[in-house]
Amino acid sequence: MRKRFTLLLAALVLVGLAACNSNDDDGTPDIEIPGITFDGDIDCCSAEEALQVYKFLQTVRIIPELSTVIDDKYNVFAYSPTGSFHTGYNDIYFVATKKKSGNYVKNFEISNLSPLMYMVKMDMHHSTPVGAVESFDSNILAVKRGWVSFVMNTSDAGSWTLAYNAKVLEAEGGIEATDIVVDALPDGQAWVKSFKVGDDTYYLSVANPTNWKTGTNEIVAYVSKKSTPAKTPYALAAERFTIEIDPRMPDMGNHTSPDNTALTRQDDGSNRGTINLTMTGLWRIHLTVKDAEGNVVAGGDDLSDGYSSLFWDVTL
Ligand SMILES: [Cu+2]
């Protein structure tokens, strides 16, 4: 532990960033409880946890326009895998630090993550599917994750803002509606689709398909319900849908692949299944959505080629 923490400090000094401070030199004994070392800042984390956070932050990029200062005491930093946003599902990560020491703060809350698009011609606003911001990894509790699935990209037709509330220890703040840019996906990609059940509109967002490799992959998706009014962020659907998948390669005679399993609703609100992509290229993942009773509610209709007209397109 001590050796690893020394390594951590060295790394932090190198990048000019300070995380949890060490008491190694001031004679204060570390408080040892099994698995945890408090390094003099009870709002922060053990050296081990600080290292995990530090390592994690090397894998994402900061989004400067969504970072803020609260009460001149705390920084809140926002990150995404690329530092930008695109149509469809995007992870957003948050970290809070003490401005003075740079120490991470473990207990903070991000709420009311609110993306909003203004549509020029229609002179109206709409939101888009979002997931609640919470801890996602028991090793790195000082990092919170939420997500936004943008139904449209920024264009002449309209533009996006994003807002959120933040509470760091006793201090409250956040970001008011701030301009963000949502990039279009590469041509031929479709990662968010909608379907209707009666008067209700639902969105199907597939999470991070660019992480897939040839072979068997876990496939994660979210089903969100459009809000009334549409300016309110779209929360996860309360209904427990099952999403059956039929991956095909349209450029190769629509051949399929074996051993795919339907996405079923998990306790965390996601839908998870297995997708087997036997080769690189364009995969059209035809979808059939069933309700909790097993009735087909979307995607049961056939295109002229015999496959569901509800699909995601992912190039591997
Ligand atoms: Cu729009």
Side-chain angles (χ1 to χ4, degrees), residues 117 119 126 152:
M117 187 180 206
M119 305 293 294
H126 66 81
M152 302 174 69

Side-chain angles (χ1 to χ4, degrees), residues 117-120 122 124-127 151-153 157-160:
M117 187 180 206
Y118 175 66
M119 305 293 294
V120 178
M122 289 184 273
M124 59 83 87
H125 290 85
H126 66 81
S127 190
V151 294
M152 302 174 69
N153 58 283
S159 56
W160 289 93

Side-chain angles (χ1 to χ4, degrees), residues 22-294:
S22 165
N23 296 319
D24 289 3
D25 300 327
D26 62 15
T28 314
D30 289 342
I31 304 159
E32 292 277 0
I33 62 171
I36 297 198
T37 308
F38 292 104
D39 290 289
D41 186 341
I42 57 164
D43 301 320
C44 183
C45 32
S46 69
E48 196 71 23
E49 289 170 318
L51 181 61
Q52 297 285 357
V53 174
Y54 174 77
K55 278 183 173 170
F56 176 80
L57 294 181
Q58 307 309 299
T59 68
V60 292
R61 299 265 182 90
I62 197 163
I63 309 166
E65 62 270 32
L66 295 184
S67 300
T68 188
V69 177
I70 300 178
D71 281 1
D72 204 34
K73 276 164 70 181
Y74 305 108
N75 291 304
V76 176
F77 297 113
Y79 304 81
S80 76
T82 59
S84 59
F85 295 116
H86 57 70
T87 309
Y89 177 99
N90 295 256
D91 283 313
I92 307 182
Y93 299 96
F94 294 92
V95 167
T97 64
K98 294 186 176 177
K99 211 179 160 196
K100 208 169 169 187
S101 63
N103 285 3
Y104 303 122
V105 178
K106 200 147 69 172
N107 291 315
F108 69 100
E109 290 168 23
I110 304 292
S111 56
N112 293 332
L113 191 59
S114 302
L116 193 63
M117 187 180 206
Y118 175 66
M119 305 293 294
V120 178
K121 272 190 188 160
M122 289 184 273
D123 189 25
M124 59 83 87
H125 290 85
H126 66 81
S127 190
T128 207
V130 299
V133 180
E134 45 202 22
S135 297
F136 67 102
D137 184 325
S138 55
N139 290 320
I140 43 178
L141 292 172
V143 180
K144 318 287 183 204
R145 179 184 61 188
W147 56 266
V148 178
S149 179
F150 294 101
V151 294
M152 302 174 69
N153 58 283
T154 301
S155 72
D156 293 344
S159 56
W160 289 93
T161 59
L162 201 145
Y164 66 81
N165 296 340
K167 186 170 186 220
V168 183
L169 300 177
E170 79 294 346
E172 294 188 37
I175 290 253
E176 301 199 348
T178 299
D179 291 333
I180 55 166
V181 173
V182 177
D183 298 325
L185 291 177
D187 278 350
Q189 303 297 290
W191 301 346
V192 55
K193 285 292 177 77
S194 66
F195 63 91
K196 282 199 129 188
V197 179
D199 290 337
D200 295 324
T201 301
Y202 296 88
Y203 290 91
L204 290 164
S205 305
V206 63
N208 299 325
T210 51
N211 292 346
W212 293 345
K213 306 254 184 312
T214 308
T216 298
N217 298 272
E218 181 179 51
I219 177 170
V220 181
Y222 293 88
V223 187
S224 311
K225 187 176 180 178
K226 187 172 185 178
S227 306
T228 310
K231 288 171 81 162
T232 306
Y234 310 166
L236 287 178
E239 297 84 348
R240 298 180 73 89
F241 295 112
T242 295
I243 308 163
E244 294 178 353
I245 54 172
D246 181 19
R248 301 269 164 179
M249 295 198 83
D251 302 331
M252 302 189 69
N254 268 324
H255 76 76
T256 184
S257 65
D259 304 326
N260 298 288
T261 63
L263 288 75
T264 54
R265 176 82 169 226
Q266 309 294 303
D267 289 343
D268 69 357
S270 64
N271 287 67
R272 287 169 195 261
T274 309
I275 188 166
N276 180 23
L277 303 173
T278 48
M279 54 190 298
T280 57
L282 172 64
W283 287 90
R284 178 159 291 179
I285 305 161
H286 297 274
L287 308 171
T288 302
V289 183
K290 293 183 173 175
D291 65 16
E293 284 77 46

